[in-house]
Amino acid sequence: MKDIILKIKDLTYSRGSRVIFDGLELEIPRGKVTAIMGPSGTGKTTLLKLIGGQLTPEKGSIVFEGDNIHQLSTEQLYKTRRKMGMLFQSGALFTDITVFENVAFPLREHTDLPEEIIKAIVQIKLEAVGLRGARNMMPTELSGGMARRAALARAIVLDPLMIMYDEPFAGQDPISMAVLVKLIALLNQALGLTSIVVSHDVAEVISIADYVYLISNGKVIGQGTPEQLQSEPTPRVSQFMQGLADGPVPFHFPANDYASDLLGDAE
Amino acid sequence: MIIESIRRLGASTIESFATTGRAGYLLIGSLFRLPTMKDVKLTYLQLNHIGVQSLLIIMVSGFFIGMVLSLQGYTTLIKFGAEASLGPLVALSLVRELGPVVAALLFAGRAGSAMTAEIGLMKATEQLSSMEMMAVNPLHRVIAPRLLAGIIAMPLLAAIFSAVAILGGHLVGVDWLGVDAGGFWSTMQATVDWQEDILNGVIKSIVFGFFISWIAVFRGYDTIPTSEGISRSTTQTVVHSSLAVLALDFILTALMFGDIS
């Protein structure tokens, strides 16, 4: 039997009248890099927020390490979150303190370690992401890719079991992209992490993922190893994997009749 | 048409109840717990941010208000030969009313708006979310120290405002217009009552400090995380807290001094 660290069952969540997830089922195996892909607007970031307990689903359960996230008390939830790390798309570094202090933040909040040890741990983590030399810089002085790497150092500073990456490759130049791809794979292996990568950059994701879920319209429409998905004949899967403009996911957003819109009959 | 307006009235009523509920939740979630050493340190830092850095505007405004008060008071009192009462006039108006109220209005504009914008921007840039994911409760880490610092800073700022204003009044009344210095101070000392006037003024400013900080942190925390949302929340903070200060001032004055007649 596979060792599952996170299990999502029958997850239903809507925002206003729009259904984001409709009975979503997912399993994240321990120690692997699992990618969750899907077109923009499918609620991939929402899914990570649901896993982190920042949002509450209408129905269904998210079980992490045997704990149902949404049945935990606030105190238990905060304790469980220490086992998770999350890398936000923007990095979300605190802009009023240096890179060093950003990475030291979780340590200062959750431990009573002496200053020398904090210094050592922070330097080790910054070295791992290649930013030891930038420790005294302010977050505003960093490029987008560097900010993300600094945030990554902060996310792993408490040695979490699982780390969630929210669109880690979005808006990166080819070099930063390659650095991040390498880091995600390397950290997962070296630290024995479990990684969830939410992204729509097909090429980068399939180069590091062990398993891929493809989500569209609130449901899993395809899953498997990257090779399996690439050879999947289902039109919706192949449209996404091969990046075709039109297909089962239409080019046009649903609209009124074109002719009547142009002639002014519509509202 | 009528149904539509009833519907809108209902919607806005529900929305204002929901907003009040969220604001109450924020207050309970951030303040109702045992404080730690870290809370003390964070509150101290915020005291510097919102208290010490408001000092200049508070002192300059206080000085001018005191000067104007003294000038206006003198021109009226001299008609009745009562310029010896200039000291009590200046001191009482400041300690009872102008000190707490004007300092609170300035505080809302200077520190309240800054708090809302800062917290709103932290929300928009996902800093609050990332804090939550690092298992740090933003209500404890970000909101509580600012609330406490506001409650502590406001009475101190109001006291400094009144003190500087009295000096401004002295400058105009005594040094420029020639009111007797001994009379200025001694009638002031004889008339201003510690409990009736000063303590009530302090109570007022504590209440104002609490409401301004509460409105400011809530508006920031509850903002729509876009540039338009933050600008609206910042405006709302200044408008709502200024109105709250003026309305609360009337209520508190009525409770404190209403039965004097």
Side-chain angles (χ1 to χ4, degrees):
Chain A
M1 209 183 97
K2 275 196 293 184
D3 185 5
I4 303 297
I5 191 168
L6 181 86
K7 195 177 169 86
I8 298 178
K9 258 189 107 168
D10 192 26
L11 184 78
T12 304
Y13 180 81
S14 26
R15 188 169 288 148
S17 59
R18 199 174 140 233
V19 180
I20 311 268
F21 298 118
D22 181 16
L24 187 79
E25 307 259 345
L26 275 183
E27 280 182 351
I28 308 290
R30 189 187 299 273
K32 306 275 188 215
V33 177
T34 305
I36 297 173
M37 296 206 286
S40 310
T42 40
K44 299 187 294 292
T45 305
T46 309
L47 182 62
L48 295 186
K49 289 198 164 168
L50 282 161
I51 295 173
Q54 293 188 301
L55 297 171
T56 310
E58 281 146 40
K59 219 175 80 185
S61 64
I62 297 177
V63 179
F64 173 72
E65 284 265 284
D67 294 323
N68 187 336
I69 295 283
H70 298 96
Q71 283 175 358
L72 297 175
S73 68
T74 313
E75 202 180 324
Q76 289 168 322
L77 176 64
Y78 273 92
K79 219 169 246 173
T80 305
R81 279 184 185 153
R82 291 193 207 179
K83 299 186 215 162
M84 306 176 179
M86 180 152 168
L87 182 70
F88 285 81
Q89 194 174 344
S90 60
L93 293 168
F94 303 129
T95 42
D96 54 339
I97 49 179
T98 61
V99 169
F100 180 92
E101 284 303 320
N102 262 289
V103 180
F105 180 83
L107 291 173
R108 295 199 200 284
E109 288 294 319
H110 295 304
T111 68
D112 287 321
L113 293 172
E115 193 56 34
E116 305 87 72
I117 306 224
I118 289 186
K119 207 173 160 196
I121 297 176
V122 172
Q123 307 239 48
I124 292 169
K125 302 296 176 185
L126 280 173
E127 175 72 16
V129 298
L131 289 182
R132 194 165 44 83
R135 63 179 180 271
N136 293 325
M137 288 167 84
M138 295 302 281
T140 42
E141 298 174 88
L142 303 178
S143 70
M146 283 165 86
R148 239 170 259 191
R149 276 150 68 193
L152 182 52
R154 186 176 68 175
I156 57 170
V157 79
L158 286 176
D159 292 320
L161 294 174
M162 181 178 88
I163 181 154
M164 299 183 271
Y165 298 89
D166 185 7
E167 299 281 5
F169 314 118
Q172 297 295 309
D173 65 63
I175 302 172
S176 322
M177 194 111 110
V179 169
L180 283 163
V181 168
K182 186 181 143 197
L183 267 178
I184 293 172
L186 200 70
L187 288 176
N188 197 72
Q189 201 189 11
L191 303 179
L193 288 167
T194 300
S195 305
I196 303 179
V197 182
V198 152
S199 177
H200 48 224
D201 294 287
V202 178
E204 284 70 30
V205 165
I206 56 178
S207 69
I208 48 168
D210 297 302
Y211 202 79
V212 180
Y213 284 96
L214 197 55
I215 298 180
S216 184
N217 293 333
K219 281 196 160 63
V220 174
I221 56 163
Q223 57 175 296
T225 59
E227 297 75 33
Q228 281 170 339
L229 270 192
Q230 275 178 310
S231 52
E232 170 87 38
T234 323
R236 282 167 76 181
V237 176
S238 61
Q239 184 196 358
F240 184 83
M241 297 303 282
Q242 287 157 33
L244 307 173
D246 216 346
V249 178
F251 169 72
H252 289 288
F253 191 82
N256 294 328
D257 181 49
Y258 189 32
S260 58
D261 258 2
L262 282 180
L263 297 172
D265 288 349
E267 264 188 273
Chain B
M1 191 64 186
I2 295 172
I3 292 198
E4 176 61 17
S5 50
I6 293 174
R7 194 196 64 77
R8 250 189 250 142
L9 180 71
S12 65
T13 311
I14 292 172
E15 176 53 31
S16 42
F17 274 111
T19 308
T20 315
R22 289 200 300 277
Y25 175 78
L26 172 112
L27 191 66
I28 292 167
S30 54
L31 288 189
F32 283 66
R33 70 203 166 86
L34 287 174
T36 60
M37 263 322 281
K38 201 163 265 170
D39 295 324
V40 177
K41 219 173 98 186
L42 289 168
T43 308
Y44 177 77
L45 276 176
Q46 285 307 318
L47 267 175
N48 179 38
H49 269 182
I50 63 180
V52 177
Q53 290 180 14
S54 303
L55 264 180
L56 188 68
I57 184 175
I58 289 283
M59 286 167 73
V60 172
S61 316
F63 198 68
F64 283 117
I65 295 261
M67 286 166 76
V68 170
L69 204 56
S70 190
L71 191 59
Q72 292 281 14
Y74 181 83
T75 51
T76 309
L77 290 173
I78 195 80
K79 289 179 192 159
F80 311 102
E83 71 273 18
S85 300
L86 187 64
L89 175 107
V90 170
L92 282 180
S93 357
L94 281 167
V95 174
R96 281 185 176 189
E97 283 299 331
L98 287 175
V101 173
V102 178
L105 294 176
L106 291 170
F107 183 74
R110 162 68 181 77
S113 58
M115 275 197 262
T116 305
E118 187 190 11
I119 296 171
L121 211 59
M122 285 178 86
K123 184 177 180 181
T125 52
E126 292 182 313
Q127 293 182 44
L128 295 181
S129 273
S130 76
M131 212 177 258
E132 276 184 8
M133 287 309 297
M134 284 186 275
V136 176
N137 192 338
L139 290 184
H140 299 170
R141 185 68 173 61
V142 177
I143 304 296
R146 285 168 175 76
L147 262 172
L148 287 173
I151 298 168
I152 299 168
M154 192 64 257
L156 296 173
L157 290 172
I160 293 170
F161 181 94
S162 295
V164 174
I166 289 172
L167 291 179
H170 182 273
L171 177 76
V172 170
V174 177
D175 299 335
W176 295 354
L177 299 172
V179 173
D180 176 55
F184 184 86
W185 291 118
S186 63
T187 47
M188 187 191 295
Q189 202 177 4
T191 321
V192 178
D193 182 68
W194 150 248
Q195 201 175 353
E196 183 77 16
D197 303 316
I198 297 182
L199 194 65
N200 278 341
V202 172
I203 292 171
K204 272 186 183 180
S205 55
I206 292 175
V207 174
F208 296 160
F210 169 73
F211 276 95
I212 294 170
S213 317
W214 187 17
I215 292 170
V217 292
F218 173 67
R219 283 292 160 205
Y221 196 74
D222 202 51
T223 192
I224 300 163
T226 58
S227 32
E228 196 204 351
I230 294 170
S231 99
R232 223 173 61 190
S233 298
T234 314
T235 313
Q236 276 177 334
T237 292
V238 178
V239 173
H240 291 182
S241 49
S242 304
L243 290 177
V245 164
L246 297 172
L248 282 165
D249 182 50
F250 175 71
I251 295 168
L252 289 171
T253 308
L255 288 175
M256 289 167 175
F257 307 104
D259 57 351
I260 277 177
S261 62

